[in-house]
Amino acid sequence: MLITRIPRLRPVALLAFLSISLAGCGDSNEQEEKPPAPHVRVETLQLQPLAISSELSGRILAPRTAEVRARVAGVVLKRVYREGSDVKQGDVLFLIDPAPFKADHDSARATLAKAQANLYQARLQEQRYRELVDEKAVSRQEYDNARASFLQADAEVSEAKAALERARLNLGYATVTAPISGRIGRALVTEGALVGQNESTPLATIQQLDPIHADVTQSTRELNALRRALRAGELQQVGDGQARATLIQDDGSAYPLPGKLLFSDISVDPSTNQITLRSEFPNPDLDLLPGSYVRVRLEQAVQPKGLSVPQRAILRDSAGVPKVLVVDPQARISDRQVVLGNAQGDRWVVSEGLAPGEQVVIEGLQHVKAGDQVQVEASQGTAPGAPPIAQHNSQ
């Protein structure tokens, strides 16, 4: 009987054979379990105009405010208008007792009639004496006296006419009318009140509310820096040369109707070193009321070429330094520190750290880190020629 004998492997050869077998199995499992490259969405940066704006704080003011006052002394008989309503120029607001003013008016009219009668008599006498003095029938002194009486009577008529006009005005002032059109507030007096005694008593206030003004302040440092940049050619004037204004409401939303900058003051407040800028906004629904605190974004210049990224693309390290994740041509992630300008809407203006054409990760940031290989999905960026993205400075 033949017995086939299996050759015995040496221990060293056996260990080598087992190691190779195990290594081969490990590589196969590792290749099978390796996850696919994560997907990220990127935006390709492009140069485009950026509107340089300043967000400033201030107050709403009525462009025209008129204090209705009593111009004659008397007792208020009636308030004619409805408080809080809109009035037009010339509308009757209050009635002051006209009786004493009517009596003064009638007296002045009678005085005028008497003066006119005296003037008539003096004129006739002056004419007769003029004829008689030529014939030597009266002396020159008598004629001069008649002439003086005539001139005095004529002056008295003029005085009586002025007194009658004054009485007519006072009688008219007893009916208090609106000096301007606008919205009138509460009455400051009631029926039966004595007004205008030794002073012009305020009766009510009328404010014009449409359009309405917003007065804000800006530091002279910011204003001078803007002017220097414009002169150096780093910035350009806004298209029509007039800064556009956007009003920021209490809840942070933008007022739907755009405004415009009217002017900047010609003097600086010495206590704050700030200058006042006035803008105007339509206010058809009277949503903006005088005295309200507001913030106004003024687009004062345009940066011809600038870069911006979505706010969701910004990461911050433990020190708070902003950075973004950039995808290189080999689809590998690298992080990049950036210097941010100001925010507008959902974008940040980038001052340093990025260049046109680079791809910035805007979605999937939490799944990748520097050095990872990724699969890129392009996101539609802001196309050239799109409306300028506003860059603003908050004060």
Side-chain angles (χ1 to χ4, degrees):
M1 182 177 180
L2 295 175
I3 298 176
T4 303
R5 302 185 64 179
I6 300 174
R8 296 181 62 183
L9 297 176
R10 295 183 179 180
V12 176
L14 181 59
L15 289 174
F17 174 76
L18 293 176
S19 298
I20 293 173
S21 300
L22 292 175
C25 294
D27 290 342
S28 176
N29 293 337
E30 190 174 319
Q31 289 177 358
E32 293 176 359
E33 296 176 1
K34 184 178 180 180
H39 290 255
V40 294
R41 189 177 296 273
V42 300
E43 180 180 308
T44 303
L45 301 184
Q46 301 176 16
L47 290 175
Q48 60 184 139
L50 300 177
I52 307 301
S53 63
S54 300
E55 193 169 299
L56 309 171
S57 58
R59 298 276 178 186
I60 294 293
L61 295 176
R64 299 177 69 193
T65 300
E67 287 189 349
V68 181
R69 292 178 176 268
R71 304 177 70 174
V72 292
V75 176
V76 177
L77 293 181
K78 185 179 180 181
R79 171 176 60 82
V80 179
Y81 76 95
R82 181 172 58 86
E83 294 176 310
S85 63
D86 292 326
V87 296
K88 295 182 179 180
Q89 184 177 2
D91 286 353
V92 177
L93 305 178
F94 294 90
L95 296 178
I96 299 175
D97 186 6
F101 308 111
K102 188 176 186 306
D104 292 342
H105 182 268
D106 293 343
S107 176
R109 182 187 299 173
T111 302
L112 174 60
K114 181 179 179 180
Q116 288 173 335
N118 291 336
L119 175 62
Y120 177 73
Q121 181 182 13
R123 181 185 296 112
L124 292 178
Q125 187 174 12
E126 189 271 339
Q127 290 175 353
R128 286 194 298 268
Y129 276 35
R130 186 190 308 163
E131 297 173 357
L132 294 174
V133 75
D134 293 338
E135 299 175 0
K136 307 297 183 180
V138 296
S139 66
R140 187 71 185 181
Q141 182 64 49
E142 288 176 322
Y143 171 73
D144 290 342
N145 290 342
R147 177 68 179 171
S149 297
F150 167 69
L151 295 176
Q152 183 176 356
D154 187 59
E156 288 174 353
V157 169
S158 298
E159 182 181 7
K161 287 181 178 179
L164 178 61
E165 180 64 17
R166 186 183 306 109
R168 185 188 66 80
L169 289 174
N170 288 338
L171 180 59
Y173 292 154
T175 302
V176 182
T177 58
I180 63 172
S181 300
R183 175 155 292 190
I184 190 168
R186 63 184 180 87
L188 303 179
V189 296
T190 59
E191 290 83 351
L194 177 62
V195 297
Q197 194 70 26
N198 300 325
E199 63 179 4
S200 55
T201 308
L203 306 178
T205 300
I206 301 175
Q207 293 181 318
Q208 191 179 79
L209 302 178
D210 184 27
I212 203 163
H213 290 165
D215 280 8
V216 296
T217 55
Q218 185 176 30
S219 68
T220 54
R221 177 182 57 81
E222 291 183 0
L223 198 58
N224 291 335
L226 179 64
R227 289 171 177 168
R228 285 193 297 268
L230 287 170
R231 293 191 187 105
E234 300 172 4
L235 303 176
Q236 297 176 355
Q237 286 279 4
V238 179
D240 55 3
Q242 188 177 43
R244 291 182 290 271
T246 302
L247 189 144
I248 309 301
Q249 301 180 106
D250 295 339
D251 58 357
S253 62
Y255 183 66
L257 301 176
K260 60 183 178 180
L261 178 67
L262 294 182
F263 67 87
S264 58
D265 208 346
I266 58 175
S267 59
V268 178
D269 187 343
S271 60
T272 61
N273 201 34
Q274 293 183 329
I275 193 168
T276 299
L277 296 89
R278 172 166 292 177
S279 52
E280 182 182 80
F281 294 90
N283 192 27
D285 298 326
L286 305 184
D287 294 330
L288 305 177
L289 298 178
S292 302
Y293 174 84
V294 293
R295 298 185 69 82
V296 175
R297 184 179 303 139
L298 294 175
E299 297 181 11
Q300 297 173 295
V302 174
Q303 183 180 354
K305 297 180 180 180
L307 293 175
S308 66
V309 296
Q311 288 190 0
R312 63 181 184 274
I314 300 298
L315 302 173
R316 295 186 182 272
D317 59 19
S318 58
V321 177
K323 63 179 181 178
V324 296
L325 298 182
V326 179
V327 179
D328 62 20
Q330 289 73 39
R332 193 171 296 277
I333 294 290
S334 63
D335 57 6
R336 186 85 55 81
Q337 290 186 358
V338 293
V339 177
L340 300 179
N342 297 279
Q344 172 63 27
D346 61 348
R347 301 185 72 87
W348 281 105
V349 175
V350 179
S351 302
E352 298 178 14
L354 293 174
E358 291 189 306
Q359 294 184 326
V360 174
V361 179
I362 60 174
E363 292 183 10
L365 293 87
Q366 65 274 22
H367 304 303
V368 295
K369 63 182 183 300
D372 287 352
Q373 195 80 21
V374 295
Q375 298 184 49
V376 176
E377 297 179 9
S379 174
Q380 183 177 2
T382 306
I389 298 171
Q391 172 184 359
H392 69 273
N393 302 315
S394 298
Q395 184 181 22

